[in-house]
Amino acid sequence: MVALALQAYAPAIPIIALNRIPYAMAFAQTRSRELLIYAAIFSITLISAEIAMVAAGLTLEAFGFAYTLGIALATLWIYPRVRIDEMRGMWSIKEVSRLLGAGLITLAGTAAIVYALQQALAGWALAQWVVVITGSISSVLLLVSAAQMLHLVDAGQLAYLFRGSRR
């Protein structure tokens, strides 16, 4: 059941990682209106999608897919509102393609690793823990690698901040 839940939530992992920047910026800029609308979009989408998917016959995976849809729509809404000064002209087709590419690389890589581990460790008592831990670590590493490889703007900004905090 854990593996099924992780597979359903996997598409949300890169979105969650990427939405932390604009979400934190909204707090720093004291944009309570934007944070409230973000929460409303997320909650309404999450609940509506869960109801629709469960009614359509999906089970545990409905919650993961609904979460992914809710966080994606809320992030798409808040991102340009808190980064408006830095983002003028940034949301080009090329940039959106890079973001989608990073998400797809992370999703495909994590899914392949999790699937391979499930097959290789079938019947082993601690297999689920190994899959969860390895899948989580590989997801983060794949996201960081894809972001650097695709030259995502936020990845460069984060790297700069981390280098500066070590001084």
Side-chain angles (χ1 to χ4, degrees):
M1 287 186 70
V2 171
L4 178 61
L6 283 176
Q7 289 171 352
Y9 279 93
I13 294 170
I15 300 168
I16 293 167
L18 293 173
N19 95 343
R20 295 299 163 211
I21 295 166
Y23 196 79
M25 288 179 75
F27 273 114
Q29 296 170 359
T30 60
R31 294 183 161 209
S32 56
R33 179 181 177 273
E34 281 79 2
L35 291 169
L36 179 62
I37 294 171
Y38 170 90
I41 291 169
F42 174 72
S43 298
I44 291 168
T45 303
L46 176 69
I47 293 168
S48 301
E50 284 176 355
I51 290 170
M53 289 181 197
V54 169
L58 292 175
T59 56
L60 184 60
E61 65 271 8
F63 299 104
F65 295 143
Y67 187 87
T68 300
L69 182 61
I71 198 82
L73 290 178
T75 299
L76 285 171
W77 183 85
I78 199 169
Y79 207 97
R81 279 153 185 84
V82 297
R83 305 261 339 252
I84 196 71
D85 293 332
E86 299 93 352
M87 290 181 59
R88 298 207 192 282
M90 190 173 96
W91 281 88
S92 64
I93 292 184
K94 186 176 182 180
E95 186 63 27
V96 170
S97 298
R98 288 179 182 175
L99 287 170
L100 289 173
L104 290 173
I105 289 169
T106 304
L107 173 64
T110 303
I113 290 168
V114 166
Y115 179 77
L117 282 173
Q118 287 174 333
Q119 300 306 311
L121 302 176
W124 190 46
L126 297 175
Q128 290 178 340
W129 286 106
V130 171
V131 170
V132 168
I133 293 168
T134 306
S136 299
I137 292 169
S138 66
S139 178
V140 170
L141 293 175
L142 285 166
L143 178 61
V144 169
S145 300
Q148 288 178 341
M149 181 179 70
L150 297 172
H151 305 291
L152 292 178
V153 173
D154 289 337
Q157 290 174 346
L158 283 175
Y160 176 77
L161 290 173
F162 283 125
R163 281 192 300 265
S165 67
R166 288 187 286 172
R167 292 181 192 146

